[in-house]
Amino acid sequence: LALEEPDSPLVLSTVSAAVQRQRQERIASRVLAVWHRLAGKGKARRAVRKVCLQYRSRVLFARCFRAFRKHACVQSARRGAVEEVVFQWVTERGLTFSQKAVEAWRSHAAHASLLRRSEEAFSRFIRSSHLRQWIGGWCKAAKREKRLSIALAKARESREGSVAKLFCEAWRRTARAWQA
């Protein structure tokens, strides 16, 4: 060791092996000291039983904690998978909803555009032909006919009202004549 450099891998591995051995010896000496203390009182069988029970309980606790940890990992993975599926479903649903909204908007915009273009084409046709004069005359005639029909309806109602009034008066006179 003296011939080697202090930072060489051989020296470092030898030093780390020595440190590891020293730790193991220290742990072994502690365990043996506890054992001698328990066994020194003449209670070796009970001490052995007690140490075995403690060891068994530690092993069982370690197994329980490992199983619990594994169960927690599985549950966490399941929860994560469910969250991922739900997130994906919500995202897809949002996308389909937004796609439907965009399609509806495009359809409405296309319909409005067609209406606007057809209105413009129709108004250009009316302005360029004599149809405008004919439509204007037709509108005037329709308004005149409507005013005339309203006046005739009023006259008929008043005439029917006067006939009904005359009829009622005749019946009243007849009823009075019968009473007298």
Side-chain angles (χ1 to χ4, degrees):
L1 273 178
L3 299 174
E4 296 287 330
E5 291 184 27
D7 292 339
S8 72
L10 181 64
V11 172
L12 291 176
S13 66
T14 307
V15 169
S16 66
V19 168
Q20 186 71 17
R21 250 185 280 119
Q22 187 179 7
R23 274 192 200 146
Q24 288 174 350
E25 288 173 2
R26 213 179 306 149
I27 291 171
S29 66
R30 284 183 190 162
V31 170
L32 284 175
V34 171
W35 173 252
H36 285 298
R37 189 171 25 137
L38 291 172
K41 296 177 182 175
K43 301 176 184 177
R45 282 188 183 172
R46 273 192 254 159
V48 168
R49 229 181 272 141
K50 189 175 181 181
V51 168
C52 288
L53 284 174
Q54 288 175 354
Y55 176 74
R56 184 163 186 226
S57 64
R58 282 185 185 167
V59 168
L60 288 176
F61 276 125
R63 286 181 187 167
C64 288
F65 281 122
R66 276 195 300 258
F68 177 72
R69 184 171 170 242
K70 185 177 179 182
H71 176 72
C73 288
V74 168
Q75 289 302 319
S76 175
R78 276 188 190 159
R79 217 175 298 119
V82 168
E83 287 174 0
E84 185 177 331
V85 168
V86 167
F87 179 75
Q88 183 179 5
W89 179 76
V90 167
T91 304
E92 288 174 358
R93 186 164 179 202
L95 287 175
T96 56
F97 180 74
S98 62
Q99 287 172 348
K100 286 180 182 177
V102 167
E103 288 174 10
W105 179 78
R106 284 181 182 163
S107 172
H108 178 70
H111 185 70
S113 174
L114 284 174
L115 285 176
R116 187 177 25 71
R117 282 189 270 157
S118 62
E119 179 186 353
E120 289 171 1
F122 186 65
S123 63
R124 278 195 307 267
F125 172 72
I126 288 175
R127 276 187 250 126
S128 67
S129 68
H130 292 289
L131 190 61
R132 182 175 180 188
Q133 294 171 354
W134 295 340
I135 290 175
W138 178 80
C139 285
K140 286 179 186 176
K143 287 178 184 175
R144 187 176 42 238
E145 289 295 323
K146 185 162 178 126
R147 281 194 308 262
L148 184 61
S149 72
I150 289 172
L152 287 174
K154 284 181 182 178
R156 186 174 10 133
E157 284 176 12
S158 68
R159 191 177 45 233
E160 287 174 358
S162 63
V163 168
K165 187 177 177 184
L166 289 173
F167 183 75
C168 287
E169 286 177 9
W171 271 101
R172 278 190 211 139
R173 276 185 296 215
T174 307
R176 284 184 200 146
W178 278 87
Q179 286 177 356

